[in-house]
Amino acid sequence: MAELNRRRTVALGTVVATMAGAALFAGSGTAQAASTCAGTRIDRVSFDTGWTDLYYSNGYNCVITTSRTPGVKLKMNAWLEVLGGTKKSDPGYYSYHAGPVTLYANGTCVRFGGQVGTTGDNSDWDHCG
């Protein structure tokens, strides 16, 4: 009887560990979407259908555009531009967010923006440093 109880305990422990791992993995998609840009969020432009966040870390700027209607596939874009330099974007049809778009911009200004569906917005030249 003791052997049977030990087997049940081991089997139950395996099931609980597997379920916990599955829950952690299933939840990581949302966490990953929210943290695909490294660094600290330093700015945001908002519009009717979404928003675009600007992050900064060690000379790199990164943007992500997020939809206000997650799960609905819409035309989206996230873009970032370095003054006197490169402009990079991530246009496409997405269900949650466009980006990340990352550029090195240490010591110079950037502007950024995004679009979800038919609305969007962008920043002025800022964050010069």
Side-chain angles (χ1 to χ4, degrees), residues 60-105:
Y60 286 89
N61 287 268
C62 180
V63 294
I64 297 176
T65 297
T66 305
S67 174
R68 292 190 193 277
T69 54
V72 178
K73 197 172 226 180
L74 296 166
K75 182 178 179 182
M76 296 178 70
N77 194 9
W79 63 267
L80 178 62
E81 185 174 8
V82 177
L83 184 63
T86 306
K87 182 176 182 178
K88 192 174 173 184
S89 64
D90 182 33
Y93 286 84
Y94 303 108
S95 299
Y96 297 96
H97 66 88
V101 175
T102 303
L103 288 172
Y104 186 76

Side-chain angles (χ1 to χ4, degrees), residues 26-68:
S28 69
T30 302
Q32 183 181 3
S35 65
T36 52
C37 281
T40 304
R41 183 171 67 95
I42 59 171
D43 204 351
R44 172 179 279 180
V45 293
S46 293
F47 41 94
D48 290 343
T49 55
W51 64 89
T52 303
D53 288 325
L54 174 68
Y55 295 82
Y56 179 83
S57 178
N58 297 322
Y60 286 89
N61 287 268
C62 180
V63 294
I64 297 176
T65 297
T66 305
S67 174
R68 292 190 193 277

Side-chain angles (χ1 to χ4, degrees), residues 16-29:
V16 169
T18 302
M19 290 173 62
L24 180 63
F25 181 76
S28 69

Side-chain angles (χ1 to χ4, degrees), residues 10-22:
V10 169
L12 180 59
T14 302
V15 169
V16 169
T18 302
M19 290 173 62

